[in-house]
Amino acid sequence: MRKADLLASFVVFLVALPLCVGVAIASGVPAELGLVTGIVGGLVAGVMPGSSLQVSGPAAGLTVLVYEAVQSYGVQALGVLVLGAGLVQLALGALRLGRWFRAVSVAVVQGMLAGIGLVLIAGQVYAMGDAAAPASGVGKVAGLVSLVGDADPVALVIGGATVVVLLLWPRWRRGARLVPAPLLAVGLASVVTGVFDLSVRRVEVRGLLDAVRPPGLEDFGRLTEVGVIGTVLAFALIASAESLFSAAAVDRLHRGRRTDYDRELIAQGAGNAVCGVLGALPMTAVIVRSAANVGAGARTKVSRVLHGVWLLVFTAVLPGVLGVIPVAALAGLLVHAGCKLVPVRELGPLWREHRGELVVLVVTAVAIAVGNLFEGVLVGLALAVAKTAWDISHVHVETEDRGDAGMVVRVVGHATFLRLPKLLDALEALPHDRDVRLELGGLRHLDHACAAALEGWAAGRDHERVATISSTS
């Protein structure tokens, strides 16, 4: 075992501990379930091939969807949902479909993360003040106006101070390398809360074994429900996309071995299958933990496996220590994480260079914020496909006047229904007292709608000026 991997494992453990607890509470489940997922991420996914340096655990990116699922189906159904998602991931990896996740529009992914970030911020601001959050996304935004009067001022100060520490501490690079910002922020909040005996809500941890809830036979029966199937697919696809995009980002941080996307997808599927059997939260690769692992000097997968060991030992031996952590501090941690999911710095360049991509990003984010994650991603994907179809469906109409021989009209490019109005406008503007020869040899694609429209246009010409349609130029 290398010394660098041992030290890195402690750093990742310290970063992962508050995140595991915070994500669980934000998801509406006991804190122990987040810790179970973190342990599985280290001990199961950590030992499998794929990406050697990225670290898995419960992620903020799935918080919104898990919360909605728990509210709809109950925490007892969480195990079968996660198990189903893991089996889907295993199938996708076995079919070698992992690499295809890289084909998803970057704008959709950024919009998905931005939407998740906005919902996460809107929900966790209430938790920072120990106040109850409205159920809908619109309600959360509207309720921010009255939050100041409803929130506990002491809890709000603790949560706000946590965010301030998270923003300022990384600026001192030497200190940030010694003590990760999340650990320092949550540690200070816990010390202040304990020393002054502040009456704010705190984390409740009763032990891992009591929290483990394997799904029963009646839970498997719910897999016949359309909503449950949709949730399983959403878990699988979003978790897979987040994990593989994280792998691509981690590969850019080091010069070691590159990620095998199909094997990494299998590793994530195996981890989620185990999490499902234990009734825990779904698992993804997490860029925050992974970046901390690389930054701490990790060289092999030993560091991520050991981080799972430390989580298991700590929560099994000293679960009561977690009870001193104020919920407001963890909410501040997640508000900060939500802000980092919104790509504010990239909006300006996108506006100047790729406005269509910006539209896809914004629409996806807004759809998630006002609706739900699954529907928002579907809207984003549909819009991205429509934008791509519009971009590639360029069609040009070229005319050549040959005097007494009439006119030659050449249609060049991709003739799809999206460009049909432009095509028909150009053809209908041709003089009706001339013979016209229509040549389609320059078309790379002609869909049914355009073919039918061209036939109709030709049939509608003066019968003495019959247009000749040619497939050669």
Side-chain angles (χ1 to χ4, degrees):
M1 181 190 303
R2 296 183 179 183
K3 181 180 178 181
D5 289 324
L6 179 61
L7 295 176
S9 69
F10 282 111
V11 172
V12 178
F13 158 69
L14 295 174
V15 173
L17 181 61
L19 288 175
C20 288
V21 176
V23 170
I25 292 175
S27 301
V29 302
E32 299 89 348
L33 295 184
L35 295 168
V36 171
T37 300
I39 293 168
V40 172
L43 301 184
V44 177
V47 302
M48 300 185 70
S51 174
S52 59
L53 295 182
Q54 79 169 351
V55 185
S56 301
L62 281 173
T63 301
V64 177
L65 189 57
V66 173
Y67 181 84
E68 292 176 353
V70 170
Q71 296 301 310
S72 300
Y73 309 114
V75 70
Q76 67 277 1
L78 185 58
V80 73
L81 295 174
V82 178
L83 175 59
L87 296 177
V88 172
Q89 288 181 300
L90 286 171
L92 294 175
L95 294 173
R96 301 186 63 81
L97 297 177
R99 67 196 68 182
W100 287 101
F101 280 88
R102 291 180 290 178
V104 177
S105 168
V106 175
V108 174
V109 176
Q110 290 178 327
M112 177 189 75
L113 294 176
I116 291 169
L118 293 174
V119 175
L120 195 59
I121 294 168
Q124 292 305 302
V125 165
Y126 290 88
M128 284 175 61
D130 282 354
S136 67
V138 177
K140 290 175 183 176
V141 175
L144 292 176
V145 178
S146 59
L147 176 61
V148 177
D150 299 334
D152 181 343
V154 176
L156 204 56
V157 169
I158 292 175
T162 301
V163 175
V164 172
V165 173
L166 291 169
L167 292 173
L168 297 181
W169 183 250
R171 296 187 179 183
W172 184 28
R173 296 184 179 179
R174 184 177 179 181
R177 285 196 297 267
L178 293 174
V179 182
L183 177 66
L184 178 68
V186 175
L188 288 176
S190 302
V191 169
V192 171
T193 301
V195 170
F196 293 97
D197 194 22
L198 302 177
S199 58
V200 295
R201 192 158 60 100
R202 306 187 190 189
V203 175
E204 296 181 6
V205 179
R206 300 183 179 85
L208 295 182
L209 293 179
D210 295 334
V212 171
R213 300 177 183 177
L217 293 178
E218 64 280 4
D219 297 320
F220 284 99
R222 306 201 67 174
L223 288 174
T224 58
E225 300 177 20
V226 175
V228 171
I229 295 174
T231 302
V232 168
L233 293 177
F235 276 5
L237 297 179
I238 294 173
S240 300
E242 186 172 345
S243 296
L244 297 183
F245 282 120
S246 173
V250 173
D251 282 347
R252 291 194 292 268
L253 299 177
H254 66 91
R255 298 181 180 179
R257 194 162 134 193
R258 305 292 95 177
T259 297
D260 184 316
Y261 285 87
D262 296 316
R263 289 185 175 183
E264 179 62 21
L265 194 54
I266 291 174
Q268 295 295 323
N272 272 320
V274 173
C275 287
V277 170
L278 299 176
L281 290 172
M283 181 187 73
T284 71
V286 185
I287 188 61
V288 177
R289 295 185 181 94
S290 304
N293 191 38
V294 175
R299 295 291 181 269
T300 68
K301 64 176 66 176
V302 172
S303 61
R304 65 183 189 179
V305 176
L306 283 178
H307 116 275
V309 173
W310 308 142
L311 281 174
L312 176 60
V313 171
F314 188 89
T315 53
V317 177
L318 299 171
V321 173
L322 298 177
V324 303
I325 301 176
V327 172
L330 295 178
L333 188 69
L334 290 171
V335 167
H336 179 258
C339 291
K340 293 176 68 175
L341 292 176
V342 182
V344 177
R345 295 182 179 179
E346 299 181 24
L347 298 182
L350 281 177
W351 174 254
R352 292 189 295 269
E353 301 171 12
H354 305 285
R355 295 188 180 182
E357 295 292 306
L358 180 61
V359 171
V360 174
L361 189 159
V362 172
V363 170
T364 304
V366 172
I368 291 173
V370 301
N372 60 58
L373 188 59
F374 186 57
E375 294 174 356
V377 171
L378 290 181
V379 169
L381 288 173
L383 186 58
V385 170
K387 173 188 172 297
T388 302
W390 177 264
D391 289 342
I392 66 174
S393 62
H394 294 294
V395 63
H396 304 283
V397 178
E398 303 172 353
T399 60
E400 179 185 352
D401 193 337
R402 295 184 177 178
D404 294 338
M407 301 181 67
V408 175
V409 178
R410 301 183 181 88
V411 182
V412 181
H414 297 78
T416 70
F417 70 96
L418 295 172
R419 301 288 183 173
L420 187 55
K422 174 184 176 181
L423 178 60
L424 290 178
D425 286 345
L427 294 176
E428 291 171 356
L430 297 173
H432 288 266
D433 58 349
R434 304 289 302 278
D435 289 329
V436 175
R437 177 182 176 83
L438 184 63
E439 297 183 349
L440 306 180
L443 282 176
R444 297 181 180 178
H445 176 72
L446 176 67
D447 69 6
H448 178 70
C450 285
L454 291 174
E455 293 288 353
W457 172 81
R461 297 280 295 181
D462 189 329
H463 67 278
E464 296 180 355
R465 306 288 185 185
V466 177
T468 302
I469 301 179
S470 173
S471 60
T472 60
S473 54

